């Protein structure tokens, strides 16, 4: 059965800290690994990773994929209170299926 | 630009009542459409997937059904709600797969359904 496992489940840090969110996956017919940020309602897209070892970067956020170890990490540097959210890791399979992890709930304290 | 609308935002319904949630997409043609449910402490569960009008795939046997009467309209329904149908329902769309990488999906704002 396809699965995506994220750790930690929740995390509380102070502004300015750096955090690393982990994602391991077992996805048949794997196509890509995606990260989303969910604050109150709709998840918003952060990154899509398709190749091992190539870092994707957007401001203070970065992510990398290891297709051999079936693993991805999402790094957030110099965290801000606006980074507080649930971060979702998603494995894309085949032609249509997305397998979601349960998410990591991040809380950044001022 | 593309936008996705989902309504209502919140809904409280008694057990045994019918349900209709609607989702529409603007600014694109022939999108792939999804209905997900998010229960507390659990990941998003795929309920239905559609690649075109009247082409619906069901992922999980349950009390719900979906229809796609128009290209950019996706409706989630139930004839009789159960308590276990409570949750956060999300509609999503993506560009049709061209056989390459499966790109990102874009989500609506969700409907919080409470069955009482």
């Amino acid at each position: 059965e396809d699965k995506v496992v994220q750790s930690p489940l929740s995390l509380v840090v102070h502004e300015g800290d750096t955090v690393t969110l982990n994602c391991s996956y077992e996805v048949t017919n794997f196509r890509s690994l995606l990260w989303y940020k969910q604050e109150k309602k709709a998840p918003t897209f952060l990154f899509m990773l398709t190749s091992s070892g190539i870092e994707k970067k957007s401001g203070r956020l970065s992510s990398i994929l290891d297709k051999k170890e079936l693993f991805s990490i999402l790094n957030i540097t110099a965290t801000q209170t606006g980074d507080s959210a649930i971060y979702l890791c998603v494995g894309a399979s085949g032609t249509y299926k997305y397998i979601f992890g349960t998410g990591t709930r991040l809380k950044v304290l001022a | 630009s593309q936008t996705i609308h989902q309504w209502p935002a919140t809904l409280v319904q008694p057990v045994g009542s019918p349900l209709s949630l609607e989702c529409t997409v603007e600014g694109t043609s022939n999108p792939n459409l999804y209905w997900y449910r998010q229960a507390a402490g659990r990941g998003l569960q795929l309920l239905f997937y559609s690649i075109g009008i009247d082409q619906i795939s069901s992922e999980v046997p349950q009390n719900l059904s979906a229809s796609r009467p128009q290209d950019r309209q996706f409706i989630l329904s139930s004839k009789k709600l159960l308590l276990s149908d409570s949750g956060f329902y999300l509609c999503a769309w993506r560009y049709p797969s061209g056989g390459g990488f499966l790109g990102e999906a874009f989500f609506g704002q969700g409907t919080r359904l409470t069955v009482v």
Side-chain angles (χ1 to χ4, degrees):
Chain A
E1 183 184 337
D2 293 333
K3 62 181 178 180
V4 173
V5 179
Q6 292 185 245
S7 63
L9 292 180
S10 65
L11 194 55
V12 180
V13 300
H14 289 91
E15 273 193 319
D17 288 349
T18 293
V19 298
T20 298
L21 309 183
N22 304 300
C23 174
S24 64
Y25 64 92
E26 293 177 30
V27 173
T28 54
N29 200 8
F30 176 81
R31 293 299 190 98
S32 57
L33 192 290
L34 304 100
W35 284 95
Y36 283 83
K37 178 183 182 182
Q38 185 176 23
E39 293 180 80
K40 293 266 166 98
K41 295 183 178 178
T44 53
F45 172 73
L46 295 174
F47 297 110
M48 183 174 75
L49 304 157
T50 55
S51 301
S52 275
I54 298 175
E55 185 183 54
K56 290 265 180 112
K57 202 169 169 66
S58 176
R60 296 176 294 102
L61 277 67
S62 63
S63 184
I64 198 161
L65 175 68
D66 185 332
K67 291 171 78 172
K68 184 179 177 186
E69 298 297 327
L70 307 183
F71 193 82
S72 176
I73 60 171
L74 175 68
N75 279 318
I76 309 175
T77 59
T79 52
Q80 302 171 356
T81 54
D83 295 326
S84 296
I86 297 172
Y87 290 83
L88 299 170
C89 179
V90 187
S93 169
T95 57
Y96 72 92
K97 185 175 278 193
Y98 298 97
I99 297 97
F100 284 78
T102 53
T104 292
R105 185 181 294 272
L106 174 65
K107 187 171 177 66
V108 182
L109 303 176
Chain B
S1 64
Q2 300 81 17
T3 56
I4 178 168
H5 303 280
Q6 186 181 342
W7 68 92
T10 59
L11 193 58
V12 180
Q13 292 282 99
V15 168
S17 64
L19 173 74
S20 181
L21 304 181
E22 190 159 342
C23 172
T24 59
V25 179
E26 295 178 359
T28 187
S29 297
N30 196 30
N32 291 168
L33 296 172
Y34 298 81
W35 279 111
Y36 285 92
R37 177 169 57 202
Q38 188 174 34
R42 300 182 64 179
L44 271 70
Q45 178 189 33
L46 177 62
L47 301 176
F48 298 96
Y49 163 74
S50 172
I51 61 170
I53 294 174
D54 295 330
Q55 299 180 68
I56 314 286
S57 296
S58 173
E59 285 293 308
V60 182
Q62 62 223 319
N63 185 41
L64 302 169
S65 61
S67 60
R68 185 171 176 174
Q70 300 179 45
D71 180 45
R72 290 171 288 177
Q73 183 186 30
F74 206 22
I75 298 170
L76 182 69
S77 303
S78 174
K79 291 182 179 177
K80 287 187 177 181
L81 283 169
L82 306 172
L83 286 175
S84 58
D85 291 324
S86 294
F88 189 52
Y89 289 81
L90 284 160
C91 180
W93 76 274
R94 67 171 177 86
Y95 293 103
S97 171
F101 295 119
L102 188 60
E104 67 268 30
F106 303 93
F107 287 85
Q109 291 300 302
T111 297
R112 176 78 56 193
L113 171 66
T114 304
V115 182
V116 296

